[in-house]
Amino acid sequence: MNRINELFAKKGDKRILSIYFTAGYPTLDSTLDIAEALEKAGVDFLEIGFPYSDPVADGPVIQHSSEAALRHGMTLHILFEQLKALRKRVSIPVLLMGYVNPVLQYGVENFCKSCTAVGVDGVIVPDLPMYEFEEHYRPIFEANGLSNIFLVTPQTSEARIRKIDDLSTGFIYLLSSSATTGKNLAVSEDTTTYFSRIRGMGLKNPVVIGFGISNQETFIQATDYADGAIVGSAFVRLLGEADYMEKIPRFVRQLRD
Amino acid sequence: MSKYQVNDNGYYGNFGGAYIPEMLYPNVDELQRSYLPIIQSESFRQEFDQLLRDYVGRPSPLYRAGRLSDRYGTNIFLKREDLNHTGAHKINNTIGQILLAERLGKKRIIAETGAGQHGVATATVCALKGLQCVVYMGAIDIERQAPNVARMKMMGAEVIAATSGSKTLKDATNEALRDWINNPLDTHYIIGSVVGPHPYPDMVARFQSVISAETRKQLLEKTGRETPDYAVACVGGGSNAAGMFYHFLDEPSVRLVAVEAAGKGVHSGESAATTVLGREGVLHGSRSILMQTEDGQVIEPYSISAGLDYPGIGPQHAWLHKSGRATYAAITDEEAMQAGLLLTRLEGIIPAIESAHALAQLEKMTFGKDESVVVCLSGRGDKDLDNYMKYFGF
């Protein structure tokens, strides 16, 4: 059982909070300092983004952080070098999130091995769809004990969600709406119907809601229907401010209390 | 089934596929299921053929360029896509896709454009059909291509500047994909080249295949043979080449020559010669060959021709290259500009700078006097007059 499974097995009534941030932003070496600060502030698991030149699923805030990280010289090789110290400083589950092309160039097998070697528990690659994953890469992920997380949107059919549930080994990433990152969640009857529909499916995997979760209100609304929720753009925006390290504890506390 | 055409899984050899985020899955899945039944239906064929004939002005002539033929000591035929309505081959595809979008019940059309030719061709068919049209164009390209921006706006399209990344075609494509993610129900994305997730590369190639279908008939009338010895076309993403090659792929006697833009020299650091400089990777939803760093970050290409500066090529081209079925050559800015001027002076035809790359390749080949060579003259040079004037100091 890896750290992700353990987290959800022991969670009880807790609303699981995950934070996304981009490696190499705001500075090349800020990755681990931010990760450590988030754990201390009480975050349950982390998603560390590795930057890509053409992030089509992302809105302006994460696009900007990726561009900046690339300008600072961030690469997958440098990130794995930085993450060698990950498990000396961080004990909560950590996932890497990014686009497929950098992974292909690094080599899928090398990538999975590097993840395992530094203590990364899972991977989210939005443009590696289920068919390609099953056809080409599933055995490599499994051999390395790495969870591959799939996305589900309001338009995903029930049959496909069942299949995703079968293939998933960590949690299911439920998108609050079909949108790029950084749009604010507007909870409507449609959204709650959708969230309830998923909750009623009796999936074997935990469900975590992301995209559009930016404050306490949206965090609570999402976690009323799911095991946890993920905050991304709102946190990355904070990283663009001066003294962001001092502001992290308060940012996390405000989401929960 | 030809081994050069897409297989049931959406692949050409190991290239192609549909590397898309889940948000695009319903749209792409719908297209994958419906594109063949729709475009092979009788009502679609009739309307498509009728519009190509009465609206676009097809068949486009196959013209034996006499003075150019004398120069190269052979028979050069120009497939005159430049004479199409809106001035290039791009409209063959947008006509096909707008008819498809209508049949899928879509109300809103989005497109990306580089130089603006595909944007104009999309705005044109949206005006024709009364559909809402949004065109994404790099902020830098909007400045460089003001006349095409004006044409799109006059036809009622909204032109939105892509301000991310390098602010050119690649980024306009990213913005169009983001729009599609955010508008999953009522919108169809008309991709302008043989790129993108399956089924786009195959669908666009089918719409453009009218180029080689007509060429076969016209060659038969003019030479007594349906096939040429050479078919030559320029490649950015590769849609006019895909159309020019389509009906010759399984004719081994036809040598296929694709011409990429070498910019200021293949290894100058300012080039778009993807097959030379690129490696296998994934961009805009398909696995192909693309220009990228060791870390997998996409490199911005350069060419004097705005229609050829795309960092990838369509997956079918990647396969034709890898399998050796087609030859990929590279032509510099200088060679292309000279070839554009040469055609103008010998034949009285001003070619688009894109097409001039294909013409320049003739200088580097040798031909027998009884051979026939078809060059796809993919577009007219009106849009490039400023560039030609500046370059030659007229």
Side-chain angles (χ1 to χ4, degrees), chain B residues 85-88 90 112-124 133 135-138 141-160 306-307 352 354 379-386:
Chain B
H85 179 42
T86 71
K90 291 290 185 190
E112 85 295 341
T113 196
Q117 292 304 104
H118 174 60
V120 168
T122 303
T124 300
C133 181
V135 178
Y136 289 91
M137 188 168 183
D141 290 333
I142 286 182
E143 279 175 34
R144 290 195 292 202
Q145 308 287 341
N148 273 341
V149 175
R151 290 165 83 193
M152 288 185 265
K153 287 186 174 166
M154 186 155 176
M155 284 183 282
E158 182 186 0
V159 180
I160 299 182
E354 289 80 3
R380 70 178 81 129
D382 304 30
K383 69 182 177 62
D384 296 317
L385 282 183
D386 265 5

Side-chain angles (χ1 to χ4, degrees), chain B residues 285-306:
Chain B
S286 65
R287 182 189 264 270
S288 184
I289 299 174
L290 62 124
M291 291 168 57
Q292 55 183 316
T293 66
E294 202 180 315
D295 188 46
Q297 310 300 337
V298 180
I299 292 173
E300 190 59 27
Y302 163 82
S303 165
I304 193 169
S305 144

Side-chain angles (χ1 to χ4, degrees), chain A residues 51-58 63 67 70 74-77 100-102 104-105 126-129 131-132 136-137 151-153 155-156 160 164 175 178-180 183 211, chain B residues 9 11 17-23 25-26 164-165 170-171 173-175 177-178 180-185 279-284 287 290 292-298:
Chain A
Y52 178 47
S53 53
D54 296 83
V56 295
D58 285 303
Q63 283 174 43
E67 281 175 29
L70 290 174
M74 181 52 81
T75 65
L76 267 180
H77 284 275
V100 72
N101 195 50
L104 292 177
Q105 302 312 316
D127 59 344
L128 179 59
Y131 170 80
E132 312 292 348
H136 304 294
Y137 304 119
L151 310 184
V152 162
T153 82
Q155 277 79 40
T156 309
R160 191 167 164 86
I164 285 171
L175 266 60
S178 181
T180 42
K183 306 249 155 127
F211 285 40
Chain B
N9 299 322
Y11 276 83
Y19 291 80
I20 44 159
E22 186 65 25
M23 299 81 104
Y25 179 83
S164 60
K170 164 176 93 71
D171 308 285
T173 308
N174 292 340
E175 289 303 335
L177 286 167
R178 289 181 187 121
W180 211 19
I181 286 172
N182 285 291
N183 297 285
L185 298 177
R279 295 194 320 278
E280 293 185 19
V282 168
L283 177 66
H284 296 147
R287 182 189 264 270
L290 62 124
Q292 55 183 316
T293 66
E294 202 180 315
D295 188 46
Q297 310 300 337
V298 180

Side-chain angles (χ1 to χ4, degrees), chain A residues 144-198:
Chain A
N144 287 281
L146 212 52
S147 296
N148 184 39
I149 308 299
F150 292 98
L151 310 184
V152 162
T153 82
Q155 277 79 40
T156 309
S157 70
E158 176 164 346
R160 191 167 164 86
I161 295 173
R162 297 272 175 216
K163 199 165 171 200
I164 285 171
D165 193 36
D166 275 346
L167 274 179
S168 297
T169 52
F171 61 88
I172 289 172
Y173 193 133
L174 194 71
L175 266 60
S176 58
S177 65
S178 181
T180 42
T181 56
K183 306 249 155 127
N184 282 330
L185 174 65
V187 175
S188 64
E189 209 179 308
D190 282 355
T191 327
T192 53
T193 307
Y194 156 59
F195 290 167
S196 306
R197 171 167 65 87
I198 304 295

Side-chain angles (χ1 to χ4, degrees), chain B residues 233-297:
Chain B
C234 64
V235 172
S239 69
N240 90 82
M244 185 78 249
F245 295 169
Y246 197 92
H247 292 288
F248 300 128
L249 289 171
D250 296 315
E251 306 268 11
S253 69
V254 183
R255 279 159 283 186
L256 307 175
V257 181
V259 185
E260 296 184 301
K264 295 180 178 169
V266 170
H267 298 290
S268 65
E270 292 182 78
S271 170
T274 305
T275 57
V276 184
L277 301 171
R279 295 194 320 278
E280 293 185 19
V282 168
L283 177 66
H284 296 147
S286 65
R287 182 189 264 270
S288 184
I289 299 174
L290 62 124
M291 291 168 57
Q292 55 183 316
T293 66
E294 202 180 315
D295 188 46
Q297 310 300 337

Side-chain angles (χ1 to χ4, degrees), chain A:
Chain A
M1 192 181 249
N2 73 19
R3 292 181 196 88
I4 300 171
N5 305 128
E6 219 166 294
L7 172 70
F8 286 100
K10 290 185 182 163
K11 83 171 205 32
D13 290 339
K14 193 175 178 193
R15 296 168 189 259
I16 297 290
L17 169 65
S18 172
I19 298 275
Y20 167 95
F21 65 98
T22 306
Y25 179 79
T27 68
L28 181 62
D29 297 319
S30 52
T31 315
L32 280 185
D33 293 340
I34 294 168
E36 192 175 0
L38 286 169
E39 174 165 3
K40 282 199 180 123
V43 169
D44 298 304
F45 75 93
L46 303 176
E47 291 169 33
I48 302 180
F50 48 96
Y52 178 47
S53 53
D54 296 83
V56 295
D58 285 303
V61 173
I62 294 178
Q63 283 174 43
H64 169 78
S65 69
S66 299
E67 281 175 29
L70 290 174
R71 266 201 315 278
H72 302 152
M74 181 52 81
T75 65
L76 267 180
H77 284 275
I78 290 173
L79 178 59
F80 281 124
E81 202 54 45
Q82 293 178 348
L83 292 180
K84 280 182 181 166
L86 174 70
R87 288 306 169 194
K88 292 189 195 112
R89 299 177 64 180
V90 173
S91 64
I92 55 178
V94 171
L95 292 97
L96 292 191
M97 183 167 187
Y99 292 82
V100 72
N101 195 50
V103 177
L104 292 177
Q105 302 312 316
Y106 192 90
V108 176
E109 185 149 20
N110 283 341
F111 176 79
C112 290
K113 282 182 178 155
S114 292
C115 283
T116 309
V118 300
V120 164
D121 307 287
V123 177
I124 308 171
V125 185
D127 59 344
L128 179 59
M130 189 160 59
Y131 170 80
E132 312 292 348
F133 175 74
E134 262 192 294
E135 198 74 1
H136 304 294
Y137 304 119
R138 187 181 180 181
I140 306 175
F141 277 70
E142 283 178 354
N144 287 281
L146 212 52
S147 296
N148 184 39
I149 308 299
F150 292 98
L151 310 184
V152 162
T153 82
Q155 277 79 40
T156 309
S157 70
E158 176 164 346
R160 191 167 164 86
I161 295 173
R162 297 272 175 216
K163 199 165 171 200
I164 285 171
D165 193 36
D166 275 346
L167 274 179
S168 297
T169 52
F171 61 88
I172 289 172
Y173 193 133
L174 194 71
L175 266 60
S176 58
S177 65
S178 181
T180 42
T181 56
K183 306 249 155 127
N184 282 330
L185 174 65
V187 175
S188 64
E189 209 179 308
D190 282 355
T191 327
T192 53
T193 307
Y194 156 59
F195 290 167
S196 306
R197 171 167 65 87
I198 304 295
R199 194 175 56 175
M201 283 180 71
L203 302 175
K204 74 176 167 71
N205 285 281
V207 172
V208 179
I209 295 177
F211 285 40
I213 314 300
S214 58
N215 52 27
Q216 186 184 88
E217 187 192 0
T218 45
F219 177 72
I220 299 293
Q221 283 166 339
T223 50
D224 279 346
Y225 294 89
D227 300 281
I230 303 160
V231 177
S233 297
F235 181 70
V236 172
R237 197 176 294 121
L238 175 87
L239 295 180
E241 296 175 14
D243 307 327
Y244 64 89
M245 285 301 288
E246 281 96 82
K247 292 176 178 165
I248 288 177
R250 190 177 143 84
F251 179 89
V252 174
R253 208 167 47 241
Q254 282 183 340
L255 287 170
R256 274 227 169 100
D257 296 342

